[in-house]
Amino acid sequence: MPQVVRPRIAVLHGTHPASPLPQRFRSLADREAVEVLHRAARVLVASLPVLTDRLVEALYEQEPGYRAAIESDRAEIWQEVHHSLRHNVGSLIQPREFREAAHRTSRRIGEIRAEQGVPLDAVLHAFRMGGAMVWQDLVDETARRDPDDVRLLVHVAADVWNFVDEHCGIVGDAYRQAERRLSWRRENQQRLMIAALLDGTARIADLCEAAAMLGLPEQGRYAVLAVASAPRGPQRPGPARPPLNLPAALPVAAPYGQSGPDLPDVRPDAPALSGAAPYGQSGPDGLPHARPDTVPPPTAFPGTAPLWHTGPDAEFAILRLTGDPGDPGELHAIAAALDAPAGTRAGIGSAVEGLAALGDARRLAETALRACPASGGTVLLDEHLPDALVVTSPALGSALADRVLGPLDRLDPSDRDVILETLTAWLDADGSAQRAGARLYCHRNTVLNRLRRFEQLTGRCLTRPRDAVEVSLALAARRLLAP
């Protein structure tokens, strides 16, 4: 028997059910067609197991997206198809009794298939295949009983296919909603895992899972970048991630952990879908639930892309390093190529080995950030270790600054600042009065006179190594720890 209505092949993106005709426009032929449809549908209900077998086999042969799921758990797919056919064919006979159950079944199938990663096109194709098979069986059963009644099915064909369209729309909507929830759940898991790694609270047993989740090698080399934007006043709500231009080898990754306007913030230990039945049990419609412990992995591993985390006072980025362990050139290249807005402070910590050491890397990056001038800039910790010593013990640093530089505070502020500026320029010029004078636009003798005055006021001797070290650290403390 040829098909009376060809199966639809267009991919449906929504629910577009046609409004039923008012009762006064229903003809006698329409009522007879409904009776014919009900008789054929009752026969289909009685033979649902056979129809289910045929549809599952057709899905295996014709829909590659379902083939892997059928091979892994054919019984589960069979139960799902059977429940869907039972409710949907029942809706043709008793719409009021079966409508809500049929909708719930279709929504559940959409959610489960999203969890399992079956493409949406494959799910919609499966529903259209089921609709075509049911329609063809209705036609064949009607023709077997009374061939003359086949023509009456034309009067209900639109209603049957609108029903299929409606459920394709329901499945599509449920699939997309579940896909968004899974995406937010995965991002929240990543956010919490990154936070644990940077805090140093991640368990050793979780490092392998963290490496797989984040697409990073467990034993790779890493550094952490800490960034703080310029203050925006007392009402500034918290650290804002400034726009950064990282080197080409370190493209900026998408931020993690943001909450959508209509999706909840999902904990890693929460069920895969809110309100879903646990794995191994059945939902309200008898459908087995997919495994909640399998979250689809990221579609693309970030590779060397930095992974960001928002801290209370700064933004942190995990940087994967690929250069030789003993070569500091990679960190230097990152620091040199880092392009941040004016006033932004950035600190890059020393390289560490393995994900387990990221907590140490974060603390090193925070130290580098504290060693960054208040006016902004980028500090590579390995190049500013004396400054790091000062900021790691601010109380001792302040005490040293008061002891060494305190006598200068009795001078007029302008005289004091001139001496401190000259002393700083002389140290930066490696003790060369000639180069210091060039920086300060004064004669070398002027530089030497100011240095002698400093020695007279403080009792320090700049040619004595111990005093030179104390002076250098005291200047760093005065610069970095000033209120």
Side-chain angles (χ1 to χ4, degrees):
M1 172 63 68
Q3 294 184 354
V4 176
V5 177
R6 293 179 181 177
R8 302 182 178 192
I9 60 173
V11 177
L12 303 172
H13 298 285
T15 303
H16 305 285
S19 301
L21 291 174
Q23 186 63 30
R24 63 179 179 275
F25 293 117
R26 290 288 187 181
S27 65
L28 178 61
D30 290 333
R31 289 195 294 271
E32 293 177 352
V34 170
E35 293 176 359
V36 170
L37 176 67
H38 287 179
R39 283 198 302 268
R42 291 189 186 96
V43 174
L44 263 62
V45 170
S47 59
L48 272 183
V50 176
L51 178 59
T52 302
D53 290 339
R54 291 168 49 213
L55 182 53
V56 170
E57 189 60 32
L59 288 174
Y60 183 81
E61 294 177 356
Q62 302 177 31
E63 181 45 67
Y66 266 74
R67 194 165 297 149
I70 293 174
E71 288 176 348
S72 63
D73 197 340
R74 192 181 189 94
E76 178 185 339
I77 300 297
W78 193 95
Q79 287 292 336
E80 175 189 292
V81 172
H82 185 267
H83 281 287
S84 179
L85 289 173
R86 177 166 60 85
H87 289 126
N88 291 336
V89 175
S91 296
L92 298 178
I93 304 171
Q94 296 175 302
R96 293 182 180 179
E97 288 78 0
F98 284 90
R99 178 182 176 85
E100 288 304 319
H103 285 183
R104 287 195 302 270
T105 301
S106 296
R107 282 193 294 268
R108 181 76 63 182
I109 291 174
E111 292 172 350
I112 293 174
R113 291 294 161 257
E115 292 176 14
Q116 295 177 339
V118 178
L120 177 57
D121 287 347
V123 181
L124 295 177
H125 183 215
F127 265 74
R128 291 193 298 273
M129 286 177 62
M133 187 172 290
V134 167
W135 174 251
Q136 190 61 50
D137 281 11
L138 291 172
V139 172
D140 291 344
E141 173 58 27
T142 301
R144 185 191 65 78
R145 186 182 183 91
D146 189 346
D148 292 338
D149 288 343
V150 173
R151 58 184 176 80
L152 294 173
L153 292 179
V154 174
H155 296 273
V156 294
D159 292 334
V160 171
W161 281 104
N162 282 335
F163 178 86
V164 176
D165 290 357
E166 177 185 8
H167 281 263
C168 283
I170 291 171
V171 168
D173 290 342
Y175 185 101
R176 284 184 282 269
Q177 290 174 10
E179 197 172 41
R180 288 196 296 269
R181 287 196 294 269
L182 289 169
S183 176
W184 285 115
R185 179 184 180 227
R186 181 175 62 247
E187 290 180 0
N188 284 329
Q189 285 182 315
Q190 291 172 331
R191 174 180 59 83
L192 294 173
M193 184 61 73
I194 291 172
L197 290 172
L198 291 174
D199 290 341
T201 57
R203 300 182 304 173
I204 298 297
D206 294 335
L207 293 180
C208 183
E209 177 186 354
M213 179 187 299
L214 302 177
L216 297 173
E218 184 177 347
Q219 299 302 327
R221 292 178 62 248
Y222 299 97
V224 172
L225 165 69
V227 182
S229 58
R232 300 179 181 178
Q235 301 300 322
R236 182 169 174 248
R241 184 175 304 164
L244 298 174
N245 292 325
L246 292 171
L250 293 167
V252 177
Y256 294 106
Q258 298 177 352
S259 297
D262 56 348
L263 294 173
D265 190 18
V266 185
R267 304 183 310 276
D269 57 345
L273 291 174
S274 177
Y279 179 71
Q281 300 179 14
S282 297
D285 300 296
L287 289 175
H289 197 274
R291 292 184 181 272
D293 56 345
T294 55
V295 179
T299 55
F301 289 145
T304 57
L307 301 178
W308 289 95
H309 173 71
T310 300
D313 301 312
E315 294 280 344
F316 299 95
I318 299 174
L319 309 177
R320 181 187 172 192
L321 306 178
T322 57
D324 295 333
D327 182 12
E330 189 171 9
L331 287 177
H332 291 163
I334 294 173
L338 189 63
D339 184 13
T344 300
R345 298 162 52 238
I348 302 176
S350 304
V352 298
E353 296 290 338
L355 293 178
L358 282 178
D360 295 333
R362 177 191 62 82
R363 287 185 285 273
L364 294 173
E366 287 179 324
T367 300
L369 184 63
R370 290 198 299 270
C372 188
S375 58
T378 301
V379 167
L380 183 59
L381 181 64
D382 291 345
E383 294 183 345
H384 295 80
L385 293 178
D387 292 349
L389 287 174
V390 171
V391 298
T392 52
S393 184
L396 291 178
S398 297
L400 178 63
D402 292 341
R403 179 181 176 183
V404 175
L405 305 177
L408 300 181
D409 293 335
R410 293 192 293 268
L411 299 176
D412 183 84
S414 60
D415 289 343
R416 179 197 62 200
D417 292 344
V418 167
I419 293 178
L420 291 177
E421 182 183 17
T422 302
L423 187 59
T424 301
W426 180 75
L427 289 172
D428 290 342
D430 298 328
S432 171
Q434 186 75 30
R435 293 202 301 270
R439 292 186 182 184
L440 299 172
Y441 302 101
C442 64
H443 195 272
R444 64 180 298 274
N445 290 338
T446 303
V447 173
L448 294 174
N449 289 333
R450 292 172 182 174
L451 294 179
R452 279 193 293 269
R453 188 182 181 196
F454 169 80
E455 290 178 330
Q456 293 170 356
L457 291 171
T458 62
R460 305 285 168 171
C461 179
L462 295 176
T463 58
R464 186 183 303 141
R466 179 185 180 90
D467 286 355
V469 170
E470 289 185 353
V471 169
S472 177
L473 292 175
L475 287 172
R478 180 66 64 93
R479 183 183 73 254
L480 297 171
L481 303 178

